[in-house]
PDB file of all heavy atoms in Angstrom:
ATOM      1  N   ASP X  17     204.608  93.421  67.547  1.00 88.00           N
ATOM      2  CA  ASP X  17     205.784  94.001  66.907  1.00 88.00           C
ATOM      3  C   ASP X  17     205.505  93.976  65.402  1.00 88.00           C
ATOM      4  O   ASP X  17     205.284  92.920  64.839  1.00 88.00           O
ATOM      5  CB  ASP X  17     207.010  93.156  67.246  1.00 88.00           C
ATOM      6  CG  ASP X  17     208.283  93.697  66.617  1.00 88.00           C
ATOM      7  OD1 ASP X  17     208.197  94.562  65.711  1.00 88.00           O
ATOM      8  OD2 ASP X  17     209.358  93.253  67.029  1.00 88.00           O
ATOM      9  N   SER X  36     195.252  93.616  76.249  1.00 92.00           N
ATOM     10  CA  SER X  36     195.019  94.432  77.443  1.00 92.00           C
ATOM     11  C   SER X  36     193.813  93.985  78.267  1.00 92.00           C
ATOM     12  O   SER X  36     193.736  94.291  79.460  1.00 92.00           O
ATOM     13  CB  SER X  36     194.833  95.899  77.038  1.00 92.00           C
ATOM     14  OG  SER X  36     193.721  96.028  76.175  1.00 92.00           O
ATOM     15  N   LYS X  52     195.381  89.989  49.926  1.00 96.00           N
ATOM     16  CA  LYS X  52     194.395  88.911  50.145  1.00 96.00           C
ATOM     17  C   LYS X  52     193.678  89.138  51.471  1.00 96.00           C
ATOM     18  O   LYS X  52     194.032  90.029  52.231  1.00 96.00           O
ATOM     19  CB  LYS X  52     195.105  87.555  50.186  1.00 96.00           C
ATOM     20  CG  LYS X  52     195.797  87.176  48.890  1.00 96.00           C
ATOM     21  CD  LYS X  52     194.796  86.775  47.838  1.00 96.00           C
ATOM     22  CE  LYS X  52     195.503  86.198  46.623  1.00 96.00           C
ATOM     23  NZ  LYS X  52     194.544  85.798  45.575  1.00 96.00           N
ATOM     24  N   LYS X  55     193.197  84.971  56.842  1.00 96.00           N
ATOM     25  CA  LYS X  55     192.723  83.582  56.950  1.00 96.00           C
ATOM     26  C   LYS X  55     193.145  83.013  58.296  1.00 96.00           C
ATOM     27  O   LYS X  55     194.254  83.249  58.758  1.00 96.00           O
ATOM     28  CB  LYS X  55     193.298  82.729  55.818  1.00 96.00           C
ATOM     29  CG  LYS X  55     192.731  83.076  54.456  1.00 96.00           C
ATOM     30  CD  LYS X  55     193.212  82.124  53.397  1.00 96.00           C
ATOM     31  CE  LYS X  55     192.576  82.471  52.053  1.00 96.00           C
ATOM     32  NZ  LYS X  55     193.044  81.597  50.956  1.00 96.00           N
ATOM     33  N   TYR X  61     195.119  77.733  72.458  1.00 86.00           N
ATOM     34  CA  TYR X  61     194.490  77.153  73.635  1.00 86.00           C
ATOM     35  C   TYR X  61     195.386  77.346  74.848  1.00 86.00           C
ATOM     36  O   TYR X  61     196.601  77.504  74.736  1.00 86.00           O
ATOM     37  CB  TYR X  61     194.202  75.663  73.413  1.00 86.00           C
ATOM     38  CG  TYR X  61     193.316  75.416  72.211  1.00 86.00           C
ATOM     39  CD1 TYR X  61     193.768  74.677  71.128  1.00 86.00           C
ATOM     40  CD2 TYR X  61     192.033  75.960  72.156  1.00 86.00           C
ATOM     41  CE1 TYR X  61     192.960  74.449  70.030  1.00 86.00           C
ATOM     42  CE2 TYR X  61     191.226  75.750  71.046  1.00 86.00           C
ATOM     43  CZ  TYR X  61     191.702  75.004  69.990  1.00 86.00           C
ATOM     44  OH  TYR X  61     190.910  74.794  68.895  1.00 86.00           O
ATOM     45  N   SER X  62     194.767  77.313  76.018  1.00 86.00           N
ATOM     46  CA  SER X  62     195.483  77.594  77.267  1.00 86.00           C
ATOM     47  C   SER X  62     196.685  76.680  77.471  1.00 86.00           C
ATOM     48  O   SER X  62     197.708  77.105  78.002  1.00 86.00           O
ATOM     49  CB  SER X  62     194.534  77.457  78.449  1.00 86.00           C
ATOM     50  OG  SER X  62     193.521  78.416  78.376  1.00 86.00           O
ATOM     51  N   LEU X  74     199.838  80.461  75.018  1.00 95.00           N
ATOM     52  CA  LEU X  74     199.092  81.513  75.704  1.00 95.00           C
ATOM     53  C   LEU X  74     199.545  81.580  77.145  1.00 95.00           C
ATOM     54  O   LEU X  74     199.645  80.554  77.817  1.00 95.00           O
ATOM     55  CB  LEU X  74     197.592  81.194  75.638  1.00 95.00           C
ATOM     56  CG  LEU X  74     196.651  82.015  76.520  1.00 95.00           C
ATOM     57  CD1 LEU X  74     196.638  83.476  76.070  1.00 95.00           C
ATOM     58  CD2 LEU X  74     195.232  81.436  76.473  1.00 95.00           C
ATOM     59  N   ILE X  85     207.259  79.510  64.457  1.00 97.00           N
ATOM     60  CA  ILE X  85     207.289  78.814  63.176  1.00 97.00           C
ATOM     61  C   ILE X  85     208.660  78.166  63.034  1.00 97.00           C
ATOM     62  O   ILE X  85     209.685  78.849  63.044  1.00 97.00           O
ATOM     63  CB  ILE X  85     207.045  79.777  61.992  1.00 97.00           C
ATOM     64  CG1 ILE X  85     205.747  80.568  62.187  1.00 97.00           C
ATOM     65  CG2 ILE X  85     207.011  78.993  60.678  1.00 97.00           C
ATOM     66  CD1 ILE X  85     205.496  81.623  61.109  1.00 97.00           C
ATOM     67  N   ALA X  94     204.241  86.332  54.887  1.00 97.00           N
ATOM     68  CA  ALA X  94     202.894  86.887  55.018  1.00 97.00           C
ATOM     69  C   ALA X  94     202.907  87.821  56.223  1.00 97.00           C
ATOM     70  O   ALA X  94     203.927  87.995  56.889  1.00 97.00           O
ATOM     71  CB  ALA X  94     201.858  85.780  55.241  1.00 97.00           C
ATOM     72  N   ARG X 103     185.740  90.389  75.322  1.00 59.00           N
ATOM     73  CA  ARG X 103     184.526  90.112  76.098  1.00 59.00           C
ATOM     74  C   ARG X 103     183.922  91.364  76.703  1.00 59.00           C
ATOM     75  O   ARG X 103     182.783  91.371  77.127  1.00 59.00           O
ATOM     76  CB  ARG X 103     184.837  89.121  77.217  1.00 59.00           C
ATOM     77  CG  ARG X 103     185.176  87.757  76.731  1.00 59.00           C
ATOM     78  CD  ARG X 103     183.954  86.965  76.378  1.00 59.00           C
ATOM     79  NE  ARG X 103     183.134  86.688  77.533  1.00 59.00           N
ATOM     80  CZ  ARG X 103     182.021  85.959  77.509  1.00 59.00           C
ATOM     81  NH1 ARG X 103     181.609  85.457  76.365  1.00 59.00           N
ATOM     82  NH2 ARG X 103     181.327  85.750  78.590  1.00 59.00           N
ATOM     83  N   GLY X 114     195.167  92.592  66.010  1.00 93.00           N
ATOM     84  CA  GLY X 114     196.386  93.364  66.083  1.00 93.00           C
ATOM     85  C   GLY X 114     196.732  93.910  64.710  1.00 93.00           C
ATOM     86  O   GLY X 114     196.131  93.523  63.701  1.00 93.00           O
ATOM     87  N   PRO X 123     215.207  83.164  50.363  1.00 95.00           N
ATOM     88  CA  PRO X 123     215.818  81.918  49.866  1.00 95.00           C
ATOM     89  C   PRO X 123     217.315  81.857  50.221  1.00 95.00           C
ATOM     90  O   PRO X 123     217.938  82.864  50.482  1.00 95.00           O
ATOM     91  CB  PRO X 123     215.611  82.001  48.348  1.00 95.00           C
ATOM     92  CG  PRO X 123     215.371  83.424  48.059  1.00 95.00           C
ATOM     93  CD  PRO X 123     214.765  84.045  49.274  1.00 95.00           C
TER      94      PRO X 123
END
Side-chain angles (χ1 to χ4, degrees):
Chain X
D17 180 346
S36 60
K52 297 286 189 180
K55 290 186 178 178
Y61 302 118
S62 296
L74 168 66
I85 306 175
R103 292 280 295 183

